[in-house]
Amino acid sequence: MQLNAMELQGYRNYDSVKLKTEGGVNIFIGPNAQGKTNLLEAIHVLSLTKSHRTSKDKELIGWNSGSAIIRAEMSRRMGNVSLELQLSAQGKKAKINGLEQRKLSTFVGTLNVVLFAPEDLDIVKGAPGVRRRFMDMEIGQVHPGYLYDMQQYQKILQQRNNYLKSTDIRRASPELLDVWNEQLAQTGVKMMQKRKNFIVQLQRWAEKIHAGITGGNEHLTVEYKPSFGTADGMDNQDQSSLFGQFMIKLTQSKEQEFRRGTTLAGPHRDDLAFAINGKDVQSFGSQGQQRTAALSLKLAELELMHEEIGEYPLLLLDDVLSELDQTRQTQLIETFQSRVQTFITTTGLESVNMSRLKDASIFHVRDGQLLR
Ligand SMILES: Nc1ncnc2c1ncn2[C@@H]1O[C@H](COP(=O)(O)OP(=O)(O)OP(=O)(O)O)[C@@H](O)[C@H]1O
Ligand SMILES: [Mg+2]
């Protein structure tokens, strides 16, 4: 898919700006604090109706504006589409081809993006919660049903935790606990299986892409680490035996759970493990290796989405190139430039290997203005 034109009004530091974008690579250059990330963020918001930087929509509205509008013309395989998203104190209004959507869920995913930003390094380096969020966001983009499971799971988890916290184990009702255990395990198992399948598919591409970027020197593996049992063990289990295992786990940890006032097993405690050439990346990887691993994961998503929806999403790379050495940059750009419309931000082109950027369109970003 391709973004052909975009317009922002009252979005962050953009009062009013229009741009025409080309297939291939679009580069946004400018000093710090001019609006480069804001622009990529706006594309991301148009895709998911949510920012990757904040959960407070109010922050997206320009300080001198009452509302923010993001408009875009795009082409997909099925034809041209115009999108509009308006944010104000009253909430969000979304239009596809001028038609207001009653539910935001019918708007989400008309435009698909994969964004890689500096903070994505935390997928490898950060706490397990970051990795769970990564899985949730990605699976949610291609399987809307997953988000529903997730919401259900969170609701049950919260009720169960409240009960564990507020109740003395000697007074606890076994019936009530049974109901929650069953509900938790039922939705939890669905999430675990989707996560497991997602990671298997992701690993397949991430390994290939990582090898490509590193000229075959590095072999990346990604492994799903459920909170009980193992991902390999899950291969030989159907849904009902995994459910049984989850129930046993909950029963076994009952005393500890009441003591600590919280649920100790389930998808909310899952993690991922990454290794390069057999060595754990979190502990032993260099900064560049960690960044490349995180990038390979994101690029793998491009391929997964391509398999899922039959066309490539847009690739948004925020401040990424200057952090990679020339060889890794070149491999990265060559891998995708002919297939994927890419938006890159950078503070300067000195460190970027321009000879490989065949027909890049260059935009200069200055204080919420764009100059070609
Ligand atoms: N709601 C808002 N209204 C107006 N201006 C805002 C709003 N939110 C952020 N800004 C301004 O936008 C500026 C540019 O932010 P942005 O993150 O896009 O910079 P950048 O060009 O990516 O810089 P860097 O190279 O440091 O990453 C910020 O300095 C901030 O002052
Ligand atoms: Mg930035």
Side-chain angles (χ1 to χ4, degrees):
M1 60 186 69
Q2 187 175 315
L3 194 73
N4 302 315
M6 188 156 133
E7 184 180 353
L8 300 177
Q9 279 174 17
Y11 186 89
R12 294 261 197 201
N13 69 333
Y14 292 95
D15 286 337
S16 175
V17 72
K18 279 186 188 177
L19 71 151
K20 278 198 168 3
T21 51
E22 309 281 338
V25 179
N26 294 271
I27 303 183
F28 298 87
I29 310 175
N32 296 137
Q34 303 303 307
K36 303 183 297 298
T37 301
N38 290 348
L39 194 82
L40 296 195
E41 181 191 43
I43 300 174
H44 182 273
V45 172
L46 199 61
S47 169
L48 292 161
T49 72
K50 284 192 184 83
S51 164
H52 66 292
R53 291 199 288 190
T54 176
S55 55
K56 300 187 188 104
D57 294 336
K58 214 170 58 189
E59 290 178 11
L60 307 179
I61 300 169
W63 294 323
N64 302 322
S65 177
S67 67
I69 296 176
I70 310 167
R71 284 197 193 95
E73 300 293 330
M74 59 174 302
S75 35
R76 291 194 57 149
R77 243 177 12 167
M78 61 181 185
N80 290 343
V81 186
S82 70
L83 294 175
E84 180 179 316
L85 186 70
Q86 190 176 345
L87 304 132
S88 69
Q90 280 76 49
K92 283 178 258 201
K93 238 192 234 174
K95 289 182 191 168
I96 301 176
N97 294 332
L99 282 178
E100 190 169 335
Q101 306 294 300
R102 272 198 310 126
K103 288 188 189 156
L104 284 178
S105 58
T106 60
F107 182 85
V108 172
T110 312
L111 170 65
N112 299 103
V113 304
V114 167
L115 166 76
F116 188 76
E119 57 268 30
D120 286 323
L121 184 57
D122 286 344
I123 297 172
V124 174
K125 248 185 126 170
V130 181
R131 288 182 280 283
R132 288 192 292 269
R133 210 176 96 88
F134 164 72
M135 285 192 275
D136 292 343
M137 296 275 290
E138 304 323 327
I139 304 171
Q141 256 202 85
V142 282
H143 301 288
Y146 179 81
L147 294 176
Y148 178 78
D149 294 338
M150 210 173 93
Q151 281 163 3
Q152 292 295 103
Y153 183 84
Q154 288 300 341
K155 223 164 49 190
I156 301 158
L157 181 68
Q158 204 163 37
Q159 289 175 347
R160 191 174 184 275
N161 282 345
N162 286 342
Y163 189 70
L164 292 172
K165 222 173 277 166
S166 62
T167 315
D168 186 319
I169 189 167
R170 286 162 299 186
R171 297 216 185 100
S173 145
E175 291 81 22
L176 202 55
L177 214 52
D178 265 356
V179 171
W180 273 323
N181 287 0
E182 244 181 76
Q183 290 179 344
L184 196 76
Q186 240 153 28
T187 40
V189 161
K190 281 195 220 162
M191 283 178 71
M192 286 171 69
Q193 282 182 323
K194 281 186 185 142
R195 283 180 177 178
K196 158 90 197 322
N197 293 338
F198 169 70
I199 294 304
V200 169
Q201 289 175 299
L202 192 77
Q203 148 77 23
R204 206 161 30 90
W205 283 109
E207 182 185 344
K208 208 181 284 179
I209 291 164
H210 193 96
I213 299 178
T214 59
N217 285 325
E218 294 183 4
H219 177 238
L220 174 72
T221 55
V222 189
E223 195 194 338
Y224 174 51
K225 294 265 187 199
S227 66
F228 60 90
T230 62
D232 282 345
M234 285 175 68
D235 279 342
N236 316 317
Q237 279 180 325
D238 55 17
Q239 196 150 328
S240 66
S241 64
L242 190 59
F243 171 82
Q245 209 190 335
F246 200 154
M247 291 294 282
I248 291 170
K249 186 79 199 168
L250 290 171
T251 316
Q252 281 172 346
S253 32
K254 182 173 164 191
E255 281 183 20
Q256 215 187 345
E257 287 193 326
F258 272 98
R259 209 171 331 121
R260 301 189 33 192
T262 190
T263 302
L264 294 172
H268 64 291
R269 297 220 151 192
D270 284 353
D271 203 354
L272 293 175
F274 307 104
I276 289 176
N277 300 338
K279 294 273 179 285
D280 177 52
V281 186
Q282 217 178 2
S283 318
F284 301 112
S286 77
Q287 179 92 352
Q289 279 179 318
Q290 291 175 338
R291 193 169 300 279
T292 309
L295 184 60
S296 300
L297 287 183
K298 285 283 176 151
L299 297 175
E301 271 180 66
L302 280 180
E303 298 290 355
L304 287 188
M305 283 172 126
H306 178 246
E307 284 177 354
E308 198 74 30
I309 59 182
E311 50 193 323
Y312 280 102
L314 313 190
L315 175 60
L316 314 176
L317 297 173
D318 192 16
D319 260 344
V320 174
L321 287 187
S322 58
E323 307 252 357
L324 298 174
D325 64 36
Q326 293 265 335
T327 323
R328 289 183 187 220
Q329 271 185 30
T330 306
Q331 297 297 341
L332 166 65
I333 288 160
E334 300 229 310
T335 312
F336 288 102
Q337 77 169 354
S338 56
R339 285 178 290 163
V340 180
Q341 190 186 28
T342 307
F343 296 78
I344 298 175
T345 70
T346 179
T347 49
L349 288 176
E350 308 77 48
S351 58
V352 179
N353 191 341
M354 282 307 284
S355 59
R356 301 294 173 163
L357 288 171
K358 277 189 227 118
D359 300 312
S361 313
I362 296 185
F363 299 85
H364 295 273
V365 186
R366 284 286 184 291
D367 195 16
Q369 305 279 341
L370 296 176
L371 311 162
R372 281 208 71 168

